[in-house]
């Protein structure tokens, strides 16, 4: 996804990549991402970047780190992430 600052965010099986004019930055567990396999990235109307990953986990990029939560869904639910 392209954010409001024209940076390109890319989800991978190993974490998140941020492509800026000056180069490429990688993000992973050190920055608070609990599971590195990214399945979807979305920018909401406030400019917040939201990452779907793992099993029912969603992370928000804020203050140069991730804030993550596990969604409360029934244990027998099946999943597919899409954007």
């Amino acid at each position: 996804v392209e954010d409001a600052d024209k940076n390109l965010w890319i989800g991978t099986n190993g974490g998140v990549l941020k492509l800026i004019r000056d180069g490429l930055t990688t993000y992973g567990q050190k920055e608070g991402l609990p599971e590195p396999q990214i399945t979807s990235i979305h920018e909401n109307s406030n400019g917040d970047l939201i990452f779907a990953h793992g099993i029912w986990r969603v992370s928000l990029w804020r203050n140069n780190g991730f804030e993550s939560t596990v969604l409360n869904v029934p244990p027998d639910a099946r999943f597919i992430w899409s954007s």
Side-chain angles (χ1 to χ4, degrees), residues 3 6 8 12 22 24-25 29-30 33 35 38-39 41 43-44 52-53 55 66 69 72-73 77 80:
D3 67 17
K6 305 295 183 195
L8 184 61
T12 73
D22 296 333
L24 183 67
T25 304
Q29 290 179 321
K30 186 171 78 172
L33 188 65
E35 296 171 307
I38 305 300
T39 54
I41 305 173
E43 183 178 29
N44 67 16
H53 55 101
I55 300 175
F66 292 96
T69 188
N72 186 14
V73 296
I80 184 167

Side-chain angles (χ1 to χ4, degrees), residues 5-17:
D5 295 325
K6 305 295 183 195
N7 300 310
L8 184 61
W9 293 78
I10 304 162
T12 73
N13 285 336
V16 176
L17 304 175

Side-chain angles (χ1 to χ4, degrees), residues 17-82:
L17 304 175
K18 178 179 159 185
L19 182 60
I20 59 175
R21 291 181 191 259
D22 296 333
L24 183 67
T25 304
T26 60
Y27 299 97
Q29 290 179 321
K30 186 171 78 172
E31 292 76 27
L33 188 65
E35 296 171 307
Q37 187 173 9
I38 305 300
T39 54
S40 181
I41 305 173
H42 174 75
E43 183 178 29
N44 67 16
S45 60
N46 295 329
D48 299 320
L49 292 174
I50 302 164
F51 300 83
H53 55 101
I55 300 175
W56 303 116
R57 189 175 295 273
V58 176
S59 295
L60 175 69
W61 177 255
R62 184 175 285 159
N63 299 323
N64 292 319
F66 292 96
E67 297 176 10
S68 300
T69 188
V70 176
L71 302 178
N72 186 14
V73 296
D76 60 345
R78 295 183 179 254
F79 66 93
I80 184 167
W81 291 110
S82 180

